[in-house]
Structure formats: structure tokens, C-alpha cells
Amino acid sequence: MVGDCEREIEIADRAVALLGRPVPGTPRRVLGDLAGQALRQGLHRLLPARPVRGDPEARADALEAARAYERLALLNYYANAREAAVSSVLHVANLAERAGPSPELARAYGAMSVAAGVVGLHALARRYRQWGHDTARRSDDLPALVFVLLTTSAYDLSVGNLSAACAALTEGLEIAQDLDDQRRWAEVAALLAQVLYHQGELGRLATLSAEMRTMASHADDAQRKAHALLIEAWHLLPEGRLDAAVAGLGEAARLLQGQGSRADEILAHGMLGLAHLRRQDQERARMAADQAANLIARSKPVAVSILEGYAGVTEVYLSLWAAGDRSAMGPARQACATFRRYARALPIARPRAWLFQGLAAHRTGRQRRAAAAWRKSLALAERMAVPYEQGRALYEIGRHTPTGLPGRQAHLARAAEIFQAIGATYELAQVQAAMPSPRRTP
């Protein structure tokens, strides 16, 4: 975990500079550095870097620099600074490859799987994932293996490969527990919780969430406590426990204030806006969504963990627009466009992106386009085996099918079945409200 993210980035920047590798000071120079490091990594793939041999000092210097950049990459990840994060990861990989096989190299390959995935190079991401696993297991370094299992699972989650992510994270959780590494255990548990959420395993998610809150309560770490509250909201919201969700998310936002972790703040305020919306508090919903939207406008997505933050903002604006608030129309369209870009980088978000596209199209009277978007959402959700997204797509298709047509009842019935099976009480009530009431016999 990190503390004051912005301050720690400054410290990490200075540490890297002291090693003779100053961090570029402007966005343009960051892009130039990223391009240069990417070119070097590409050349390493064609002509593998020669490890430093016979010079222990040079090897130690390369590994020290790699570890410094690894810290910087993590901080930029939490800051939702995509280019800086990817550039830092490339530095780690290039330095670690110069040093030869090591735990640092294993961790670098794990992080590269995430970086390659974010920029859409999925074949390369899968290769880095395999190299990371192979290098970590050969190094016989359990902390490095846990890190690789964590980072490669983040990639698998981002593309909807949920079974692989769940298996790897379960292994990582056991190793972290054996190592008594509570910080790493919390990071692995947080990602596993998101996998369970997408798999519709809300009961298992609630159990894991409770364990995380218990462990976080004994730690002097505001971010860790906030993460436990954010994860708890992933099951509280679909369960319809809105008062508890608002309280927990509000506390998470308070804990994160001033920490500089933009990714976490986006998640907290975006989900808080959605919780307020579901409690019919449109004013507070708008305020929270505006806060998250301002943070989103100053960043580029890199973290799969904040999907529900981006989604919460989009859903709040779309709902306010549908309720007649014309001032929400512009923000709704902007949020939909932003979420589309997020989904291009992270495919697990694509079913929700098409769901939102359908809602926006319906609002502007383009019914055929809306129906096509919801069908696309459903097809993607079925392919990825994400039941919550399937249920939401079925609900939108069903409730927008004219009453009397057979498709309406069939789609709503399927949605109700899914939401009941996963314990999504809030969404189930919505579906039931759209279904015809059973006829009473005289």
C-alpha cells in the first residue's frame, strides 16, 4: 500500500535521479521516455540483452535501479497516471533484463503483462505473463511469485479470464499467508474480491470482505482500511443495503482524502454517487459523480480495480438525464465516451460500456441502436461468463420490449433468475417491478 501518493512519487523520483536516471519532468518528455524504453524492450525481444557478467557491482546497480522504478510504477498506478506507469514498468524490465535472471526480473515480467494489456498488445501480454510465472518459479523466491501471481491475475481479470485469475490469486493468498505478509495478502485479497464480484459470487465476496475489514482494523494504514470498505460496497450495493454502502463509501472517501491515490478516490466517489442515486438522493449523487468526474478528467485509466468508479459516474449522469435533468446530458455523453475508452483498454468493462451506449441511444430516440447495443452487451457478458452483466443486459432488453410481445417476459424472467441466483436483491426488485403482476383469481 502507499501513503501520501503525490509526496511518495516525489521521493521516488528523487531516488531514481540519485541513481543517475532522472525522471522526465514534462508530459511530452514522459512520452518520449516511454517511446525510448519501449523501443529498447522491443530490441530486447529481437536481440536479448546481454546480462552483466563478471561485474557484481554493475549487476547490483541495475537491480537497485530496477527496484526504484518498480516503486515508482506502483505509485503511478495508484495515481492513475498511465503513461508514467507504463514508462516506469518498461524501465524495470530493461534494467532487470540487463542483470539477468532474478526475482526482480520475474516481477518485471509480471508487471509488463499488465502494461502490455493496457495498451492493447494482448498476445505480448500473454507472453510476459508466462515469462513471469516461469522466471518466478525458477527463482525459488516466494515473495516474487506472489507478486507475479498478483500482477498477471490483474491482466487476466482485465480481459475476462476469470477462472485463471481466481486460481492464481487463491494460490497467492495462501503463499502470502504462509509468509505472514499482511500487506501483500491484502493486495491479493482485494483483487480476488473483484474476481468474485464479476463471477457473481457475492456470498464468498462478503466473507472475504469481512476478513479484510478485520485485518485492516489492526493496521495503521488508512489506504488499506479504505480498500476494505470499497470492496465491501461491491456486495452491499447489489444486495440493496444502501444505507450501509453510503456509510462505508463515505468513510472510505474520508480516509483517502489527501492521500493522492487518484484511482482509489475515483472508485470511492463514483460508487458513492451510485449509492446516493439508488437512495433517491439526486443532489448528493450529482455531487459525488462530479467529484469523480473531475478526477477522471485529470487522468488516464490503467487500473482494472476502478471499473465501478467509472461506471458509477456514467450511471449517475445517465439516470439524472433520463429523469429530466437536462444539465446532466452533456456530462452523461462525456462519461459514456470516457467509459468507452476505458473499456477499449480493459475488455472486462465492455459489456457495461455497451449497456451504457444503449441507454444513451434510447434517451435520444434511437431505439434500434439501443437494442443492438444491449444485445452486444449480452453477447459479451455471456462469452466472459459474468452473470451480473448478463442480468443487466437482459433487464434492459426486456423492459424496453413493448408489453405484450413474448420477448419481454422471457428476457425479464431470465434476468430475475440470474439476479436471484447471485443474490443481487436490488436488481431483482427492479426486474420484478417491470414484470406483469400475477393475475388474482376471483
Side-chain angles (χ1 to χ4, degrees):
M1 303 294 178
V2 298
D4 183 337
C5 193
E6 292 179 354
R7 180 173 176 275
E8 292 202 32
I9 286 176
E10 292 178 5
I11 294 171
D13 283 349
R14 289 199 295 270
V16 168
L18 288 172
L19 295 171
R21 304 172 186 276
V23 175
T26 66
R28 179 174 293 182
R29 288 181 177 178
V30 169
L31 287 173
D33 181 63
L34 190 158
Q37 293 299 316
L39 178 60
R40 180 172 296 182
Q41 181 60 199
L43 290 173
H44 285 186
R45 303 278 61 81
L46 296 173
L47 301 169
R50 292 182 180 179
V52 177
R53 298 185 186 279
D55 190 346
E57 185 175 346
R59 184 175 189 273
D61 288 346
L63 291 176
E64 183 182 10
R67 290 190 293 269
Y69 268 109
E70 185 179 307
R71 176 65 176 169
L72 189 57
L74 174 66
L75 293 167
N76 282 313
Y77 178 87
Y78 279 117
N80 215 33
R82 183 171 62 193
E83 283 80 6
V86 172
S87 176
S88 297
V89 170
L90 284 163
H91 274 282
V92 177
N94 289 331
L95 287 162
E97 286 181 333
R98 284 286 292 144
S102 64
E104 286 83 357
L105 181 60
R107 294 197 300 269
Y109 286 152
M112 279 298 299
S113 71
V114 176
V118 165
V119 297
L121 300 175
H122 294 291
L124 188 57
R126 291 190 291 271
R127 291 173 67 186
Y128 279 119
R129 178 184 60 190
Q130 189 60 54
W131 293 336
H133 281 265
D134 292 345
T135 307
R137 295 188 190 279
R138 282 197 300 266
S139 73
D140 198 28
D141 185 290
L142 290 178
L145 177 57
V146 175
F147 183 85
V148 169
L149 291 169
L150 174 66
T151 50
T152 57
S153 294
Y155 170 71
D156 279 327
L157 169 58
S158 75
V159 296
N161 192 1
L162 301 180
S163 296
C166 189
L169 291 168
T170 300
E171 180 185 0
L173 208 62
E174 292 172 355
I175 296 172
Q177 191 163 0
D178 290 342
L179 293 171
D180 196 26
D181 188 340
Q182 294 189 14
R183 180 181 64 85
R184 189 68 79 200
W185 184 94
E187 292 172 347
V188 175
L191 195 63
L192 178 57
Q194 190 174 3
V195 172
L196 294 175
Y197 169 75
H198 286 293
Q199 289 180 320
E201 297 279 358
L202 297 185
R204 291 177 61 193
L205 169 57
T207 300
L208 181 59
S209 167
E211 188 174 359
M212 290 183 68
R213 282 203 67 179
T214 298
M215 294 185 69
S217 68
H218 300 301
D220 184 20
D221 187 334
Q223 189 186 36
R224 187 169 162 187
K225 292 176 181 177
H227 283 177
L229 291 166
L230 292 170
I231 287 160
E232 185 178 56
W234 287 344
H235 69 85
L236 292 177
L237 281 171
E239 288 170 352
R241 298 165 60 188
L242 302 180
D243 290 345
V246 166
L249 289 166
E251 176 64 9
R254 186 192 67 77
L255 288 167
L256 292 166
Q257 191 172 6
Q259 296 289 315
S261 180
R262 189 175 296 167
D264 290 335
E265 288 188 275
I266 289 170
L267 180 58
H269 290 295
M271 292 182 73
L272 182 58
L274 182 60
H276 281 309
L277 180 74
R278 292 184 174 184
R279 292 177 74 232
Q280 309 301 315
D281 190 340
Q282 296 186 349
E283 182 178 353
R284 285 191 173 89
R286 179 66 183 261
M287 289 174 58
D290 286 347
Q291 283 183 281
N294 288 334
L295 292 167
I296 289 170
R298 293 186 279 121
S299 61
K300 292 184 179 179
V302 65
V304 67
S305 60
I306 60 175
L307 188 158
E308 293 301 328
Y310 278 74
V313 171
T314 310
E315 190 163 344
V316 166
Y317 287 142
L318 283 169
S319 297
L320 293 177
W321 182 22
D325 183 353
R326 293 185 61 83
S327 71
M329 179 176 65
R333 287 174 165 166
Q334 179 61 48
C336 283
T338 300
F339 198 83
R340 281 200 306 274
R341 289 193 294 273
Y342 180 88
R344 278 199 293 269
L346 302 162
I348 189 68
R350 289 176 187 173
R352 194 80 61 89
W354 282 106
L355 185 90
F356 291 151
Q357 287 303 112
L359 291 170
H362 175 74
R363 182 61 189 155
T364 54
R366 294 174 292 176
Q367 310 305 336
R368 289 185 179 179
R369 183 172 294 185
W374 292 324
R375 288 194 298 271
K376 181 71 171 178
S377 175
L378 178 60
L380 287 170
E382 289 175 339
R383 188 182 310 160
M384 293 182 182
V386 280
Y388 179 75
E389 306 297 344
Q390 293 177 45
R392 291 203 61 173
L394 287 164
Y395 169 62
E396 295 301 340
I397 294 171
R399 78 182 180 110
H400 289 102
T401 299
T403 303
L405 292 183
R408 178 184 178 93
Q409 181 65 14
H411 285 101
L412 291 174
R414 284 180 61 200
E417 183 180 346
I418 289 171
F419 289 137
Q420 187 166 28
I422 67 175
T425 307
Y426 179 86
E427 285 77 9
L428 177 60
Q430 284 190 309
V431 174
Q432 290 173 336
M435 298 175 76
S437 302
R439 295 180 180 178
R440 296 181 180 177
T441 55

